[in-house]
Amino acid sequence: MTFDGFQTLAIHAGQEADAETGAVVVPIYQTSTYAQDGVGGLRGGYEYSRAANPTRDALEECLAALESGTRGFAFASGMAAEDTLLRTVAEPGSHVIIPGDAYGGTFRLFSKVLQRWGVSWDAVPQSDPDAVRAAVRPETVAVWAETPTNPLLNIGDIETLAGIAHDAGALLVVDNTFASPYLQQPIPHGADAVVHSTTKYLGGHSDVVGGALVVADPELGERLAFHQKSMGAIAGPFDAWLTLRGIKTLGVRMDRHCANAERVVDELTRHPGVTRVYYPGLPDHPGHKVAERQMRAFGGMVSFRLRDGEEAALRVCERARVFTLGESLGGVESLIEHPGRMTHASAAGSPLEVPDDLVRLSVGIESVEDLVADLLQALGD
């Protein structure tokens, strides 16, 4: 039986009832190795859990289905997924275009790790297709997009970026962590590969660290499978199981994240101490029309700037009580952070440095009245 509804896929793709026991939840295959029926006689193709594990296989099949890709891969972290992809498609002398406000960890990977390996990069605003096109070089192997970006929530037009990348013989890679596959599926819009930190919305409960790749091209999938096995930064079986459990409620959670974020944004836009709110659901957001076209809704992430500068931003972060001061995002609980000193500290002093009066919210699924009241008291009302 085949099915197409997102929430049905989230619950059933790769997760058929166990043939022997009828268990409706995929078991945790907490094993490193597998008995063989003679030399090379593998049962179900399993020999060693770095190469394959039934729990991880279930997660990878589910991820591919949710992102409309041909193959999915689960990793120990989002950064492990990024590194494996880049070492698969790039080599010394290659060039990659990254967002002008990329996630700090992605920027660090390029500037501190891959640059030493001989991979060059340019950071350009990916909401500006002309700037992206102008940055392309003969050695460009990938355009790396985040949409929405972290933490300024800029929007890139996936179809346009795919056209630019493909005209140059390069790949379009989209970090879909902020949107999740429930709100946005880059592959049908032309992306070649999708990256996730599954720690965030896919896991959804702040209890597991993981990463994922989903690709459109089976040949790229074969190359990635080789590198995943060879480099070894795979998701363990319990982490894969926790992520699968989180995915089952992704759709209903995202509906609540989005609804709560819209209410929070409404309050922030009317507050005298706030000078700017970054949220693609706002009609005056520069990427609103593009986001409206390629997203189901506008997400649970909100950033804003304070009239009284960095000290005010730090004070809001410290005074919040329902919003927990912490890094990461996408969990059921609301988080607040100061990107300049926390998640994006690695970009300090670079062209990707974020404003020091910026606060980032991951709006959770608590009662929205409590979230609004907490923000207002933190802001001084």
Side-chain angles (χ1 to χ4, degrees):
M1 179 177 178
T2 60
F3 32 78
D4 299 315
F6 183 91
Q7 196 55 47
T8 307
L9 288 171
I11 293 170
H12 293 288
Q15 301 168 75
E16 296 80 9
D18 182 72
E20 183 174 345
T21 67
V24 297
V25 174
V26 174
I28 304 170
Y29 286 89
Q30 195 69 44
T31 185
S32 60
T33 192
Y34 306 81
Q36 299 187 19
D37 298 323
V39 176
L42 307 183
R43 302 181 191 180
Y46 295 103
E47 57 183 335
Y48 188 61
S49 277
R50 173 166 46 79
N53 174 282
T55 313
R56 190 171 86 237
D57 286 352
L59 172 58
E60 292 179 337
E61 183 177 339
C62 185
L63 290 166
L66 296 183
E67 284 287 7
S68 299
T70 63
R71 195 158 180 179
F73 301 89
F75 292 86
S77 69
M79 296 312 304
E82 291 189 14
D83 189 48
T84 302
L85 175 61
L86 286 161
R87 293 184 191 274
T88 300
V89 303
E91 59 187 23
S94 295
H95 172 255
V96 180
I97 299 169
I98 68 172
D101 59 335
Y103 165 56
T106 299
F107 170 70
R108 183 174 56 232
L109 178 64
F110 279 98
S111 64
K112 304 296 184 183
V113 179
L114 293 171
Q115 188 165 292
R116 295 177 61 194
W117 192 51
V119 175
S120 61
W121 54 274
D122 282 303
V124 301
Q126 294 194 336
S127 55
D128 182 352
D130 290 336
V132 176
R133 192 175 288 107
V136 171
R137 305 180 191 173
E139 61 270 25
T140 300
V141 296
V143 174
W144 191 280
E146 291 178 20
T147 182
T149 59
N150 181 5
L152 297 179
L153 294 147
N154 285 311
I155 299 295
D157 187 321
I158 297 171
E159 291 182 4
T160 299
L161 292 172
I164 294 169
H166 297 161
D167 286 347
L171 302 177
L172 175 64
V173 180
V174 177
D175 185 334
N176 202 29
T177 297
F178 265 31
S180 86
Y182 180 68
L183 299 183
Q184 177 174 271
Q185 294 179 329
I187 287 175
H189 289 281
D192 300 286
V194 177
V195 177
H196 283 281
S197 170
T198 57
T199 310
K200 312 305 194 294
Y201 286 109
L202 286 162
H205 293 78
S206 302
D207 56 7
V208 61
V209 173
L213 294 172
V214 178
V215 298
D217 176 38
E219 190 276 331
L220 177 57
E222 286 298 316
R223 292 164 59 199
L224 278 169
F226 174 79
H227 279 85
Q228 183 193 42
K229 176 181 176 179
S230 300
M231 296 169 69
I234 48 91
F238 185 48
D239 290 350
W241 185 86
L242 283 170
T243 305
L244 270 174
R245 185 182 65 167
I247 286 173
K248 290 176 186 291
T249 60
L250 177 62
V252 292
R253 286 188 287 107
M254 291 306 299
D255 285 340
R256 182 64 172 265
H257 284 298
C258 293
N260 281 2
E262 289 176 7
R263 173 73 184 280
V264 165
V265 166
D266 181 60
E267 296 290 339
L268 289 173
T269 55
R270 294 186 285 110
H271 195 281
V274 175
T275 59
R276 183 171 181 183
V277 179
Y278 299 86
Y279 187 68
L282 289 168
D284 62 352
H285 186 288
H288 176 71
K289 292 295 184 183
V290 175
E292 199 172 40
R293 185 175 72 245
Q294 66 190 24
M295 298 178 72
R296 184 195 300 257
F298 302 107
M301 300 301 299
V302 180
S303 293
F304 62 97
R305 298 177 69 174
L306 277 300
R307 185 174 305 281
D308 294 331
E310 182 180 27
E311 290 306 312
L314 294 172
R315 186 165 59 250
V316 169
C317 290
E318 291 165 358
R319 291 181 60 177
R321 293 295 177 264
V322 181
F323 283 83
T324 299
L325 178 61
E327 298 189 4
S328 196
L329 57 102
V332 293
E333 65 287 305
S334 294
L335 298 177
I336 189 169
E337 67 126 357
H338 185 268
R341 295 201 185 187
M342 296 171 69
T343 54
H344 289 69
S346 61
S350 79
L352 279 73
E353 183 173 17
V354 298
D356 62 10
D357 60 352
L358 185 75
V359 173
R360 191 191 75 179
L361 304 176
S362 174
V363 181
I365 66 172
E366 302 95 336
S367 298
V368 72
E369 292 80 9
D370 292 331
L371 296 179
V372 168
D374 188 43
L375 276 178
L376 291 178
Q377 69 81 22
L379 286 162
D381 276 20

